[in-house]
Amino acid sequence: MLNDQNKDQPSRQTGTHRIIAFLGGRSTLYVLGLLLLIGLIILVYSKVSFVFYPIKVFFSTVVLPIILATIAYYILRPILRLLERLRIPRVWGILIIFIGLIGLITLLVVLVFPFLKGQFANLVEEFPTYFQQMVIKLDAFLRTSIFSSYYEGLNFNVNSLLDKGLGDIGRMVTEMIGGIATGITSFISMLTGFILAIATVPFILFYLLKDGEKLPAFIKKLLPPRFRDDAEAIFKDADHQISAYIQGQILVAICIGIMVSIGFQIIGMKYALLLGVLAMFTSVVPYLGPIIAITPAVIIAIVTSPFMLVKLAVVWTIVQLVDGKFISPQIMGKSLKIHPITIIFVLLSAGSLFGVPGVILGIPGYALIKVVLTHLFKLYKLRYNKFEYDETMYYEDVKKETN
């Protein structure tokens, strides 16, 4: 009896092994089990999501001031390090930076902001007229061009379109005013929350400048000893990616704003300073930012004169060439190492999910996720000896990324 049972046992084990091999091996079963576990966790979370609502409110409240303070921290950290090299204590250096920021903001509010406010108000008031004149000029051009026969075959009535468009704009404004009037309470609540978030930024920024460089070491002590070296490599790489992107993007944006303002002023473009400031702010969004910045300038140029459109094209081409060939390569380099197609997909996805903040923060967020996943994949290859990857290669890669 025992011998018969022993004879049957290998056959049962062989059958089990054959099933596992048919499904792809133990690694495939592990991945399938992991995916099933993740699906169950998501299902359970969807059923008890109300339990986590206070946590969601907390994070949605603190995320804006933390992001703004972090951006300001990476912009001001080189200045603080320079002051420390001059043997100025860190706390006094922070106070000097804050006093300089207050003076700069006061100067902008007193001198620059009123001028930009007046230009913006005039542009908003005159923009419907600019748009109407542009449509009329395009209609006249198409009727006398080589495409006139095709264009006239469409039976396109520009006057009815403009009347309908202006009526729709008036109706939209009326509905917007009514919506604001009915939702005035929620609007005040949102505005109050935004003001409070902005008011907390200086306090968070102060402690980041004071103790921010100690934060990775503090987090590393909370981890098990075997994970500390890997965590330190991730922190260094992430810090390098964020600082290179933020500092580089700010410098590039300022250079673009100055070049556009000077170029538009030279060719006699109306609202040159305002359009330069718009180009500066929109340049933080790759690919989509220049399109947003050039649109109002093109409309103004078309209405002004055909020659103005040519001069605009010359100025914009020079700015893009100088930025693409000299400024961005020198300042930004290839710190993010992200393919242009990936950038476009990230912008579209982040914009659909999170709106304007997603478009602005999508690229650095993707860079951080890429840093963490890259290191985790290297650790996976190191642990399971995949792809002939050993410990020496891992630390050489870490050294290359942090330098």
Side-chain angles (χ1 to χ4, degrees):
M1 295 287 292
L2 292 174
N3 291 332
D4 294 338
Q5 291 177 357
N6 290 333
K7 289 180 181 178
D8 295 337
Q9 187 173 0
S11 63
R12 287 195 297 270
Q13 291 179 352
T14 303
T16 304
H17 291 164
R18 287 177 179 174
I19 294 173
I20 294 175
F22 176 76
L23 294 175
R26 295 184 182 276
S27 299
T28 304
L29 290 178
Y30 173 77
V31 173
L32 292 175
L34 182 62
L35 292 176
L36 179 61
L37 180 61
I38 293 174
L40 290 174
I41 292 174
I42 295 174
L43 177 62
V44 172
Y45 174 79
S46 64
K47 298 298 182 182
V48 295
S49 58
F50 61 90
V51 177
F52 302 97
Y53 179 74
I55 300 176
K56 179 182 177 181
V57 172
F58 172 76
F59 278 105
S60 63
T61 303
V62 302
V63 68
L64 177 61
I66 289 178
I67 290 176
L68 295 177
T70 302
I71 293 173
Y73 166 72
Y74 279 105
I75 295 173
L76 300 175
R77 187 175 65 174
I79 302 176
L80 181 61
R81 288 177 175 176
L82 177 62
L83 293 176
E84 286 186 318
R85 290 196 204 102
L86 299 176
R87 297 183 180 180
I88 298 176
R90 177 173 284 262
V91 176
W92 286 104
I94 296 173
L95 291 178
I96 292 173
I97 291 174
F98 272 61
I99 293 173
L101 283 176
I102 293 172
L104 178 62
I105 293 173
T106 304
L107 186 65
L108 291 175
V109 170
V110 173
L111 298 180
V112 181
F113 181 73
F115 179 71
L116 289 178
K117 181 181 177 182
Q119 281 204 342
F120 181 75
N122 292 334
L123 180 60
V124 170
E125 182 180 355
E126 296 178 0
F127 193 78
T129 304
Y130 280 122
F131 183 78
Q132 185 177 9
Q133 292 178 5
M134 183 195 70
V135 173
I136 294 173
K137 287 191 174 185
L138 286 177
D139 178 70
F141 171 75
L142 290 174
R143 291 185 183 278
T144 57
S145 66
I146 59 175
F147 306 103
S148 59
S149 59
Y150 301 99
Y151 181 69
E152 292 176 356
L154 297 175
N155 294 324
F156 186 75
N157 191 342
V158 65
N159 294 323
S160 62
L161 175 66
L162 290 174
D163 294 339
K164 182 180 178 182
L166 293 175
D168 291 339
I169 292 173
R171 186 167 58 254
M172 288 172 59
V173 172
T174 304
E175 292 177 356
M176 186 182 301
I177 294 173
I180 294 175
T182 55
I184 191 68
T185 304
S186 60
F187 176 76
I188 292 176
S189 176
M190 182 184 66
L191 182 62
T192 303
F194 181 78
I195 293 175
L196 290 176
I198 297 299
T200 58
V201 169
F203 300 97
I204 300 174
L205 177 61
F206 176 83
Y207 287 104
L208 279 178
L209 291 172
K210 183 175 179 293
D211 301 320
E213 296 184 353
K214 301 177 183 177
L215 187 60
F218 174 75
I219 296 176
K220 191 174 71 171
K221 290 180 181 179
L222 301 178
L223 299 174
R226 58 179 297 190
F227 297 135
R228 290 177 182 175
D229 291 337
D230 301 325
E232 183 178 3
I234 293 176
F235 286 143
K236 286 183 178 180
D237 198 0
D239 180 73
H240 173 72
Q241 293 276 356
I242 296 175
S243 61
Y245 180 79
I246 292 178
Q247 295 170 10
Q249 198 67 57
I250 294 297
L251 290 176
V252 169
I254 293 174
C255 292
I256 290 176
I258 292 174
M259 289 191 299
V260 171
S261 298
I262 294 175
F264 285 177
Q265 195 70 42
I266 291 174
I267 66 175
M269 172 77 71
K270 293 186 66 175
Y271 310 108
L273 182 59
L274 181 63
L275 294 174
V277 173
L278 177 63
M280 180 181 69
F281 281 105
T282 56
S283 64
V284 300
V285 182
Y287 303 110
L288 299 179
I291 298 175
I292 299 173
I294 195 65
T295 301
V298 168
I299 295 175
I300 295 173
I302 291 175
V303 173
T304 304
S305 68
F307 186 56
M308 178 61 71
L309 186 61
V310 175
K311 292 191 290 185
L312 169 64
V314 172
V315 170
W316 195 258
T317 302
I318 293 174
V319 170
Q320 295 302 314
L321 286 176
V322 172
D323 173 53
K325 298 296 183 181
F326 300 102
I327 297 178
S328 291
Q330 295 297 323
I331 297 177
M332 297 290 291
K334 295 183 179 179
S335 57
L336 291 181
K337 300 177 183 178
I338 302 176
H339 195 275
I341 297 297
T342 305
I343 291 177
I344 293 174
F345 287 158
V346 169
L347 290 176
L348 294 176
S349 302
S352 300
L353 290 173
F354 306 108
V356 176
V359 172
I360 297 174
L361 302 175
I363 302 301
Y366 172 81
L368 285 180
I369 295 174
K370 181 183 176 183
V371 166
V372 175
L373 293 180
T374 301
H375 281 277
L376 291 178
F377 184 60
K378 290 176 181 177
L379 292 174
Y380 169 78
K381 291 190 290 185
L382 178 63
R383 177 175 177 82
Y384 294 102
N385 197 22
K386 302 286 185 181
F387 313 108
E388 298 180 356
Y389 193 83
D390 56 13
E391 188 172 356
T392 304
M393 296 172 63
Y394 170 72
Y395 286 107
E396 285 180 357
D397 288 344
V398 170
K399 187 182 294 185
K400 289 179 183 178
E401 292 173 356
T402 53
N403 289 335

